[in-house]
Amino acid sequence: MTDSIAIDIKGLTKSFSNGWLGKKQVLNDLNFQILDNEVFGYLGGNGAGKTTTFKLMLGLIRPDKGEISFWGCSAKDRISRAMIGYLPEQPYFYAYLTGAEALDFYASLFDMTGTERKKKVGYLLDLVGLTHAGDTQLRKFSRGMLQRIGIAQALVNDPKLLILDEPMSGLDPMGRKAMRDIILSCRDQGKTIIFSSHIISDVEMICDRAGILANGELKNIITMDDAISSKDSTWEISCQGASLDLSGIKEQGAIKQVVRGNRHIISTGKKDIADRVMTEINRQGLGLVSFSTARKSIEEIYIQSAGQEILPAGSQQDKYS
Ligand SMILES: Nc1ncnc2c1ncn2[C@@H]1O[C@H](COP(=O)(O)OP(=O)(O)OP(=O)(O)O)[C@@H](O)[C@H]1O
Ligand SMILES: [Mg+2]
C-alpha cells in the first residue's frame, strides 16, 4: 500500500429536508482520507449516512458544504466518474436480460467495441464465478448471483476506485467468502476499495482500515494492525504452583489475580507489568500454563465509537433540527 491519497473528504455536510419536521442533519463536517490501494471498511448503524456519503462521492446528490476529490480530481468534475465502479445498495437490473447480455449492456455504456465487450463479459463472468449462468435470464438468478452480477458491472470499466454499498449483504458464508476474495483480488490489481458493511468479521478480515460513522462524523478510524497491538489489549497469564507472590510489583492496581486451587490467573492491561509477572513466575519457580493477549475486537471498538449497541434495522433514532 502506497501512502498517496485516493479519496479526500473535507468538511462534508449534508442535510435532507423533512417536511414539517424540519431539516435532518445526516453528515456533519465529515473529514477523512482513503489511501491509494487500500481496502477501507465504512461502518455505521442503519441511517448513519453511509449510502448518503457514497451518493455524494458519485455526484448523485449534492452536499450542503464540503469537498470530495479522487486522486486530486474534484468529484464535481465528470472525469472523476470514469475512475469509479459502484455497486449500489439495491441494484436494479433488467430482469429479462441474461447475465452475459446485462454485462454487455453495461460495457456498451463505455464505448467498447464488440470484440472488447465479448472479451470483457467472458472475463467478468469468470471472475465472479458466473460463467455457467451467462445464458440465464437475471429473473432466474438467486440473490447471491445478482450480487455477483452487481460487482461484475462495477468492474466493467476497470475502475481505479470501487465503491461497494453492502456488497456482502444477503450472501451466504460461501458467497461472502467469494465476495471477500473478489475484493482482495481487486486490491492486488492496484485498485482502491471502500465498502460499507454491517458484518464486522468481514471488515476485520479484509480491510486495511475501517472508519465508524456516527452522528454525522467519523468517530474512529481503526487500522487493523493497530487493533492487534491496541493499547486496549489485555495480557492474561496462567501458571501453576502453591503460591505466587506479586507484592514486589508496585502497580498493584493494574493487576488482577485470581486463584483457583493451584492455578493462578493474572491479567493486566500493561505489557511491561505482564513482563514483570513472567519474571516473578520464573523466579519463584512456578510452571507457566499459558500466556495470551486478548485484543479488543473491532466490534467492541465499534460499539464504543458509535456510542450505542448495534441496533436492529430501523431502530436508530433519526435526528431533526
Ligand atoms: N432522499 C432523502 N430524503 C430524506 N432523507 C433521506 C434521504 N436519503 C437518506 N435520507 C436519510 O438520511 C439518513 C442516512 O441515510 P443513509 O441511507 O445514508 O444511511 P445508511 O448509513 O446507508 O443506512 P443503512 O445501513 O440502513 O443502509 C437516514 O436517516 C435517511 O432516512
Ligand atoms: Mg445504506
Side-chain angles (χ1 to χ4, degrees):
M1 190 168 74
T2 60
D3 274 0
S4 71
I5 293 162
I7 308 178
D8 195 2
I9 295 185
K10 282 199 189 117
L12 197 63
T13 301
K14 178 71 187 169
S15 58
F16 290 107
S17 138
N18 227 296
W20 57 270
L21 284 169
K23 269 189 173 180
K24 187 195 291 179
Q25 188 77 30
V26 178
L27 301 178
N28 190 9
D29 194 21
L30 180 67
N31 294 285
F32 69 101
Q33 294 174 331
I34 294 179
L35 305 179
D36 187 47
N37 198 205
E38 82 171 332
V39 180
F40 190 92
Y42 200 38
L43 300 171
N46 290 122
K50 302 178 296 297
T51 299
T52 301
T53 312
F54 292 161
K55 286 181 178 169
L56 288 164
M57 284 180 181
L58 290 153
L60 296 173
I61 52 174
R62 286 172 190 220
D64 302 344
K65 268 196 296 193
E67 290 290 330
I68 306 173
S69 62
F70 306 104
W71 288 274
C73 174
S74 167
K76 287 182 202 146
D77 193 332
R78 282 180 56 197
I79 294 170
S80 71
R81 271 165 246 151
M83 303 177 192
I84 304 174
Y86 174 51
L87 171 67
E89 194 169 24
Q90 287 164 336
Y92 175 81
F93 301 107
Y94 296 104
Y96 285 87
L97 292 183
T98 64
E101 285 167 349
L103 292 179
D104 184 74
F105 164 72
Y106 291 113
S108 71
L109 302 176
F110 289 94
D111 287 339
M112 290 183 201
T113 65
T115 323
E116 282 168 343
R117 293 205 306 267
K118 203 162 172 223
K119 216 168 128 193
K120 181 66 86 176
V121 169
Y123 164 76
L124 289 173
L125 285 173
D126 181 47
L127 180 80
V128 300
L130 282 180
T131 305
H132 65 285
D135 295 328
T136 306
Q137 286 181 335
L138 298 186
R139 69 194 173 94
K140 297 179 186 164
F141 273 33
S142 71
R143 171 83 199 269
M145 290 164 83
L146 286 174
Q147 199 74 336
R148 285 168 194 237
I149 282 289
I151 187 125
Q153 68 73 30
L155 288 167
V156 88
N157 58 331
D158 194 19
K160 261 175 103 157
L161 170 67
L162 268 178
I163 299 176
L164 309 175
D165 203 350
E166 299 193 29
M168 281 87 165
S169 96
L171 298 184
D172 66 15
M174 290 308 290
R176 276 169 44 203
K177 159 110 182 50
M179 188 60 82
R180 288 198 303 266
D181 289 345
I182 293 169
I183 292 174
L184 289 176
S185 82
C186 288
R187 191 198 30 200
D188 290 346
Q189 289 168 19
K191 299 187 194 304
T192 303
I193 299 116
I194 175 167
F195 73 96
S196 64
S197 182
H198 293 286
I199 308 167
I200 293 174
S201 59
D202 287 332
V203 172
E204 232 164 349
M205 267 187 259
I206 60 170
C207 289
D208 299 302
R209 295 187 306 151
I212 298 162
L213 185 65
N215 299 323
E217 296 165 38
L218 217 58
K219 292 286 177 194
N220 206 337
I221 292 188
I222 311 155
T223 304
M224 294 305 148
D225 294 345
D226 287 355
I228 290 162
S229 58
S230 158
K231 60 178 176 3
D232 297 311
S233 295
T234 304
W235 284 266
E236 194 174 272
I237 303 156
S238 163
C239 61
Q240 210 145 17
S243 66
L244 171 66
D245 179 11
L246 295 177
S247 57
I249 299 176
K250 273 192 231 127
E251 298 95 330
Q252 288 294 313
I255 303 174
K256 216 162 108 188
Q257 187 172 1
V258 177
V259 184
R260 286 201 194 116
N262 254 4
R263 175 79 63 94
H264 305 263
I265 302 155
I266 303 102
S267 52
T268 176
K270 293 190 174 172
K271 171 80 169 61
D272 59 322
I273 293 180
D275 287 340
R276 274 146 60 200
V277 170
M278 289 293 284
T279 310
E280 282 303 316
I281 289 169
N282 283 333
R283 203 177 58 78
Q284 296 174 36
L286 280 85
L288 182 70
V289 176
S290 66
F291 181 98
S292 59
T293 315
R295 74 179 165 91
K296 223 175 188 187
S297 73
I298 302 296
E299 182 154 322
E300 285 172 275
I301 300 173
Y302 174 94
I303 291 170
Q304 246 178 31
S305 303
Q308 58 172 56
E309 306 238 334
I310 299 170
L311 298 171
S315 59
Q316 164 125 335
Q317 277 192 342
D318 285 335
K319 288 203 150 189
Y320 300 97
S321 62

